[in-house]
Amino acid sequence: MHVVVNAAASADGKLSTRRREQVTISGPDDFARVDRLRAASDAVLVGVGTVLADDPHLTLDDPTREGETRGDAGNPARVVVDSSGRTPLDARVLDDAATTYVVVAGEATADRRAALADAGAEVFVAGDERVALPEALSKLGERGVGELMVEGGGEIIYSLFEAELVDELSLYVGSLVIGGREAPTPADGPGFVESFPQLSLRDVTRVDDGVLLQYDVVGRSER
Ligand SMILES: NC(=O)C1=CN([C@@H]2O[C@H](COP(=O)(O)OP(=O)(O)OC[C@H]3O[C@@H](n4cnc5c(N)ncnc54)[C@H](OP(=O)(O)O)[C@@H]3O)[C@@H](O)[C@H]2O)C=CC1
Ligand SMILES: Nc1nc(O)c(N)c(N[C@@H]2O[C@H](COP(=O)(O)O)[C@@H](O)[C@H]2O)n1
């Protein structure tokens, strides 16, 4: 599987506010690029924190791109990583616009799994207490996902880097300052202290009033 992480950060490196409310960081050209990236992906993955904060739809904004998509149902599949099944039953990702996988851990109750399935999700288990990401991605691969786009947030992105599952990072840096020590960043979690994911800068492009940084992940480095 090929995994691309895409995120938009402010000039001071924040994904959203300390209230975890969505901020429009990208401009129109960057949103169009994100849409093309979605169209080229078999599935788009987020953590349940992003579902709870943003209630995203994760479909293509431009329906004319649906013909380009690699997914079966017009739009790429949607994936929510959600250990205990906290995804609200009226979440927009559970509508019938695309297949939606909710990946839970063994701790998710049978009732909650059934409720999510009734609401339209295809639920599967990976891990015991928290979703085990290597197993989750392996099971997505068995379901035909070869190109996976990750749209955040910071907790899930950190865990994917920690598990060495990321191949590429596209980071759009917009021209605003959000601030806040508690505001999410592109890689939160506990943070790395001795061995750090090492990136190789492939491209830098001015987009809208910001900069798109495109990296390949090349391994780990000790600092
Ligand atoms: N600017 C941008 O590009 C984007 C911004 N955002 C912003 O980010 C914020 C949300 O980010 P964040 O709160 O970090 O949430 P995430 O979307 O990263 O979801 C985190 C949750 O995923 C669940 N999870 C399950 N398994 C794992 C695992 N192995 N590793 C990590 N998490 C796991 C956890 O909940 P549980 O244990 O219950 O399963 C965890 O709390 C919002 O403010 C949103 O607006 C989000 C996306 C893009
Ligand atoms: N690329 C990008 N730029 C921004 O400025 C953003 N705020 C985000 N947020 C992400 O987009 C999701 C919304 O998706 P829908 O439009 O509802 O399909 C949101 O949940 C974040 O993942 N992204």
Side-chain angles (χ1 to χ4, degrees), residues 20 43 56 89 97 109 119 123 129 137 143 155 178 198 203:
R20 300 187 114 67
L89 300 179
T109 64
V123 182
E129 291 176 7
L137 268 53
R143 288 161 173 78
E155 295 289 337
I178 295 178
Q198 187 66 41
D203 229 331

Side-chain angles (χ1 to χ4, degrees), residues 82-87 103-105 107-109 112 116 129 131:
D82 179 9
S83 310
S84 59
R86 293 190 287 151
T87 298
V103 190
V104 299
E107 65 150 25
T109 64
R112 197 60 201 165
L116 286 164
E129 291 176 7
V131 172

Side-chain angles (χ1 to χ4, degrees), residues 50-63:
T50 296
V51 172
L52 293 170
D54 297 351
D55 194 16
H57 199 218
L58 304 180
T59 49
L60 302 180
D61 291 335
D62 179 353

Side-chain angles (χ1 to χ4, degrees), residues 67-87:
E68 299 170 26
T69 188
R70 298 165 62 99
D72 291 334
N75 287 297
R78 302 171 287 195
V79 184
V80 183
V81 181
D82 179 9
S83 310
S84 59
R86 293 190 287 151
T87 298

Side-chain angles (χ1 to χ4, degrees), residues 6-9 15-16 22-27 30-31 33-35 38 44-46 50-51 53-61 92 149-153 172:
N6 186 81
L15 292 182
S16 69
Q22 190 176 13
V23 178
T24 301
I25 298 169
S26 301
D30 192 56
F31 278 124
R33 178 192 63 80
V34 171
D35 217 36
R38 284 183 182 178
V44 178
L45 180 149
V46 293
T50 296
V51 172
D54 297 351
D55 194 16
H57 199 218
L58 304 180
T59 49
L60 302 180
D61 291 335
R92 296 172 72 217
M149 176 183 181
V150 176
E151 288 210 38
Y172 179 77

Side-chain angles (χ1 to χ4, degrees), residues 21 47 76 85 94 97 105 112 132 143-144 147 177 202 206 221:
E21 290 165 346
L94 296 180
R112 197 60 201 165
R143 288 161 173 78
E147 284 289 330
V177 173
R202 179 169 18 97
R206 183 179 177 129
S221 67

